[in-house]
Amino acid sequence: MAMTADQITSDDDGWGYRTGARFVTPAEWEKHRDEHLERRHYYLQPLTEALAAVANTDGVVVDYRPHEFYAGPLSDAMRDEDDEPGWALVYDRFTAMVLSVLVFELVEAGLLATRGNGDSVDYRLTLPGGDGA
């Protein structure tokens, strides 16, 4: 179900996020994000691992570039012992669509804030409402 206008907060710095969510550090996000992912959404796990890996100490991912993120940190999060050395995911048009939908699922879940940044976008790690615990 799509978010409605009353479920979205925009702050003075241009961040848009799920109403009630709060900004967190990567360490806090990694500790609590799974508590807010429904069991049927565990396919988002590698994406959340990769976002936590690229966020700065404040939980901000500046100038997100999906093709670089996909071939780099997301590949790192998905690589396993059976993969050849140097293995990486291949970014294409289909991937671009799917990745953008999955990132927006995190925004809808209250796990990610977003703001425009010229010709790119920034993200910020969030936890939905309450104390995140």
Side-chain angles (χ1 to χ4, degrees), residues 1-9 16-19 104 107-110:
M1 175 186 280
M3 290 172 52
T4 60
D6 63 327
Q7 294 173 307
I8 302 168
T9 296
Y17 49 92
R18 183 94 190 198
T19 299
F104 192 72
V107 174
E108 287 181 316

Side-chain angles (χ1 to χ4, degrees), residues 48-125:
T48 62
E49 289 176 17
L51 286 165
V54 298
N56 68 17
T57 57
D58 292 325
V60 179
V61 179
V62 177
D63 200 22
Y64 172 83
R65 303 237 184 253
H67 62 289
E68 294 170 8
F69 175 79
Y70 193 77
L74 190 55
S75 290
D76 293 344
M78 294 186 71
R79 189 173 294 111
D80 68 26
E81 65 277 352
D82 296 325
D83 293 322
E84 305 256 339
W87 173 90
L89 296 166
V90 177
Y91 189 77
D92 58 21
R93 283 176 274 189
F94 179 77
T95 300
M97 291 185 316
V98 172
L99 187 55
S100 64
V101 168
L102 296 179
V103 168
F104 192 72
E105 281 191 41
L106 293 175
V107 174
E108 287 181 316
L111 292 168
L112 208 55
T114 183
R115 74 174 175 195
N117 182 10
D119 63 350
S120 71
V121 66
D122 297 338
Y123 290 111
R124 190 163 185 181
L125 307 179

